[in-house]
């Protein structure tokens, strides 16, 4: 037991069927079916290997999203191939989650064998919980398809998905109600490192927030500003665009259309409230970059062309943000400063991440795309901690009891170890 949660040390696994929820959600190229980063898959390896070595029949559950928040789910087939390579042993895969085919395959597994099910978010209940803002209690989650169909086939549940620990969903919080449960090795390590780190971060403590997961970013900003964990927040990416729009700045019609088309219009209003409360602590871009005829063009605020799409922060912003980073003692980063996948719009992300590599401050980077960016700009080894979680990390830092932590603690109380 650690933190009131069972660890893998609390159980015998030989011959047991273990449902193990991992987070292998990676940036994916949908056209070629290839993964642009495999960092999270590599992070799952110790737990999967240990379970298999200890004779468990390992059934892995995972989700895969897409670039824009929770839309465009993708299958987990490439993940099985990658995991197989990393483990050096076979990983079976099936394009089914809870149906008869998946259940048959689970029941036929032998000791040590590993099966990855398809994307759990293909089961609608798993996603409606956040898409439709439905709130099922953990007890109610027991009645969902994924728990009803899979729990009877399993002896134990292991959650290693620290990066998804802030999601209140059946595959994450439902099984602990009905099966003896433990956290995996990755979950255990991230929990330890991050909680130690946050006990008293050295000041000034700066949060760099960018990327495209708007609802997460807003919760983060609100919590870290409210509980004073953050002395300053630097914003970029789509988050920065929304904040600029809220200030009444011109960010280009295509940027604004994109915000409304993605249903983020309401956040412009939320951003205004954020300014009213914490104005001085939230920094927004001073200039932005657009792409015109394949070339990068930068504009100061006030001069942005009407039709533009803001895809990166500009040079003045880069300079200012780097100064703030060099003046900080602790820097948490989640989300890139622009569409860093394209060369013309990578400068902001590249410069900020290089600053993270250079600064003497304690640096933590979390999030699928952000971790991919640390590798792309070769700063991985110079950061102090890389966390698989983005949203989970920030909420954990904000002192929230994450839903999965709560569920695992419940499981530990109800079933204990063995
Ligand atoms: P992380 O995975 O690190 O948590 P996110 O998933 O929130 O980060 O954001 C990454 C995505 O945000 C990238 O695909 C990137 O192209 C996109 N992005 C960054 N800046 C912009 C922008 N200005 N407009 C649209 N998308 C953006
Ligand atoms: Mg991402």
């Amino acid at each position: 037991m650690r933190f009131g949660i069972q660890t893998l040390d609390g159980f015998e696994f030989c011959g047991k069927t273990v449902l193990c929820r991992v987070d292998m959600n990676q940036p994916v190229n949908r056209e070629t079916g290839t993964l642009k980063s495999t960092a999270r898959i590599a992070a799952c390896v110790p737990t999967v290997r240990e379970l298999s070595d200890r004779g468990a029949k390992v059934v892995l559950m995972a989700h895969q999203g897409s670039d824009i928040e929770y839309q465009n789910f993708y299958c987990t087939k490439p993940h099985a191939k990658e995991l197989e390579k990393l483990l050096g042993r076979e990983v079976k895969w099936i394009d089914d989650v809870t149906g008869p085919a998946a259940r048959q395959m689970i029941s036929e597994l032998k000791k040590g064998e590993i099966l990855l099910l398809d994307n759990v978010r293909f089961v609608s209940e798993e996603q409606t919980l956040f898409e439709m803002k439905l709130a099922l209690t953990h007890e109610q989650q027991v009645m969902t398809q994924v728990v009803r169909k899979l729990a009877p086939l399993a002896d134990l549940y292991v959650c290693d998905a620290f990066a998804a620990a802030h999601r209140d969903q059946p595959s994450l919080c439902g099984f602990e109600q009905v099966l003896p449960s433990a956290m995996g090795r990755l979950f255990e390590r991230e929990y330890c490192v991050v909680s130690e780190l946050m006990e008293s971060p050295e000041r000034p403590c700066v949060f760099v927030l960018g990327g495209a997961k708007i609802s997460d970013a807003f919760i983060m900003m609100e919590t870290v500003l409210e509980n004073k964990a953050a002395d300053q927040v630097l914003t970029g990416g789509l988050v920065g665009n929304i904040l600029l729009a809220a200030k009444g700045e011109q960010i280009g019609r295509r940027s604004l259309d994109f915000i409304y088309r993605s249903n983020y219009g309401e956040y412009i209003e939320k951003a205004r409230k954020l300014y009213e409360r914490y104005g001085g602590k939230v920094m927004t871009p001073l200039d932005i970059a657009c792409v015109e005829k394949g070339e990068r063009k930068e504009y100061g605020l006030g001069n942005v062309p009407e039709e533009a799409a803001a895809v990166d922060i500009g040079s003045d912003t880069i300079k200012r943000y780097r100064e703030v980073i060099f003046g900080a003692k602790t820097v948490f980063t989640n989300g890139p400063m622009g569409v860093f996948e394209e060369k013309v719009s990578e400068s902001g992300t590249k410069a900020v991440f290089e600053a993270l590599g250079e600064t003497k401050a304690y640096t933590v980077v979390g999030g699928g795309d952000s971790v991919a960016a640390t590798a792309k700009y070769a700063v991985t080894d110079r950061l102090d901690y890389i966390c698989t979680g983005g949203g989970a990390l920030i909420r954990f830092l904000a002192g929230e009891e994450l839903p999965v932590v709560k569920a695992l603690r419940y499981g530990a109380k109800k079933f204990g170890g063995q």
Side-chain angles (χ1 to χ4, degrees):
M1 287 268 278
R2 266 183 120 171
F3 322 110
I5 299 173
Q6 289 290 344
T7 70
L8 297 189
D9 299 323
F11 296 98
E12 282 301 326
F13 291 106
C14 194
K16 301 275 174 66
T17 301
V18 179
L19 282 173
C20 178
R21 176 63 158 97
V22 290
D23 189 330
M24 304 199 294
N25 187 24
Q26 301 277 206
V28 59
N29 180 333
R30 304 171 67 81
E31 268 134 54
T32 56
T34 48
L35 302 170
K36 294 189 226 166
S37 161
T38 53
R40 278 188 181 155
I41 303 182
C44 299
V45 164
T47 295
V48 179
R49 189 190 298 284
E50 180 173 343
L51 290 173
S52 166
D53 283 347
R54 289 171 65 183
K57 302 169 185 174
V58 188
V59 182
L60 300 174
M61 295 181 286
H63 71 278
Q64 173 63 55
S66 184
D67 294 347
I68 295 301
E69 206 140 3
Y70 310 113
Q71 300 163 20
N72 307 320
F73 301 103
Y74 196 79
C75 74
T76 58
K77 192 171 185 183
H79 308 66
K81 278 266 153 309
E82 187 59 38
L83 184 61
E84 193 162 78
K85 240 195 290 171
L86 292 165
L87 278 166
R89 62 185 75 168
E90 190 196 2
V91 176
K92 298 175 193 292
W93 180 80
I94 187 165
D95 59 342
D96 187 15
V97 184
T98 60
R103 301 204 304 272
Q104 171 95 20
M105 210 155 160
I106 293 171
S107 62
E108 286 170 3
L109 282 177
K110 299 191 183 65
K111 275 186 210 169
E113 286 187 339
I114 302 159
L115 164 67
L116 172 62
L117 301 174
D118 210 344
N119 193 339
V120 280
R121 287 190 188 161
F122 287 159
V123 182
S124 71
E125 285 160 322
E126 187 78 5
Q127 24 151 336
T128 44
L129 291 191
F130 53 75
E131 281 282 275
M132 319 295 291
K133 301 195 168 71
L134 254 182
L136 292 190
T137 64
H138 292 176
E139 265 168 28
Q140 289 169 326
Q141 287 178 22
V142 175
M143 301 306 293
T144 59
Q145 177 84 354
V146 79
V147 182
R148 269 194 302 125
K149 295 289 180 184
L150 299 184
L153 303 175
D155 302 295
L156 298 159
Y157 172 77
V158 170
C159 187
D160 209 23
F162 184 81
H166 57 313
R167 303 271 178 236
D168 210 331
Q169 292 169 349
S171 74
L172 291 152
C173 303
F175 290 102
E176 292 91 332
Q177 317 302 308
V178 291
L179 289 173
S181 304
M183 60 182 164
R185 298 298 182 199
L186 171 67
F187 200 110
E188 187 181 343
R189 191 188 52 167
E190 307 246 68
Y191 194 120
C192 287
V193 173
V194 178
S195 44
E196 270 167 30
L197 203 155
M198 229 17 220
E199 262 166 30
S200 52
E202 273 202 76
R203 305 280 175 169
C205 180
V206 172
F207 281 68
V208 182
L209 295 178
K213 288 196 300 288
I214 304 306
S215 54
D216 280 350
F218 270 77
I219 289 173
M220 290 171 208
M221 282 192 281
E222 279 159 11
T223 38
V224 298
L225 288 166
E226 172 67 28
N227 70 5
K228 300 195 170 64
D231 296 305
Q232 190 129 55
V233 179
L234 307 181
T235 63
L238 203 56
V239 181
N241 286 356
I242 291 178
L243 289 168
L244 286 174
K247 281 186 173 167
E249 297 287 356
Q250 161 81 291
I251 53 166
R253 191 185 50 78
R254 277 158 55 209
S255 291
L256 214 52
D257 279 356
F258 184 78
I259 292 170
Y260 284 107
R261 242 188 305 123
S262 315
N263 289 327
Y264 295 143
E266 61 177 298
Y267 287 97
I268 295 182
E269 190 46 44
K270 284 200 175 137
R272 291 198 183 107
K273 298 211 174 94
L274 203 70
Y275 285 130
E276 277 167 26
R277 296 192 63 174
Y278 312 106
K281 289 187 166 181
V282 182
M283 288 184 68
T284 49
L286 308 167
D287 52 354
I288 53 140
C290 308
V291 180
E292 289 166 21
K293 298 202 179 84
E295 280 187 33
R296 181 184 178 96
K297 287 265 163 58
E298 297 194 357
Y299 297 97
L301 296 180
N303 296 318
V304 179
E306 220 169 278
E307 289 300 296
V311 288
D312 195 11
I313 55 174
S315 313
D316 291 344
T317 315
I318 291 175
K319 192 161 166 272
R320 184 77 193 96
Y321 282 11
R322 284 176 60 96
E323 284 166 9
V324 175
I325 290 170
F326 287 123
K329 290 275 175 58
T330 309
V331 188
F332 290 101
T333 303
N334 174 227
M337 294 290 104
V339 183
F340 75 105
E341 296 89 338
E342 309 286 337
K343 204 146 193 70
V344 281
S345 47
E346 72 165 349
S347 312
T349 307
K350 185 166 187 279
V352 164
F353 277 64
E354 282 172 352
L356 297 176
E358 289 163 39
T359 176
K360 290 199 172 64
Y362 193 92
T363 45
V364 182
V365 172
D369 291 284
S370 306
V371 174
T374 65
K376 186 168 181 180
Y377 305 121
V379 295
T380 309
D381 299 338
R382 283 182 283 149
L383 301 175
D384 292 284
Y385 189 64
I386 294 199
C387 180
T388 56
L393 167 74
I394 306 282
R395 290 190 212 193
F396 189 88
L397 297 179
E400 266 183 55
E401 186 182 34
L402 301 175
V404 176
V405 169
K406 185 174 175 205
L408 285 166
R409 285 188 177 139
Y410 173 86
K413 274 216 180 98
K414 183 165 176 185
F415 300 101
Q418 283 169 336

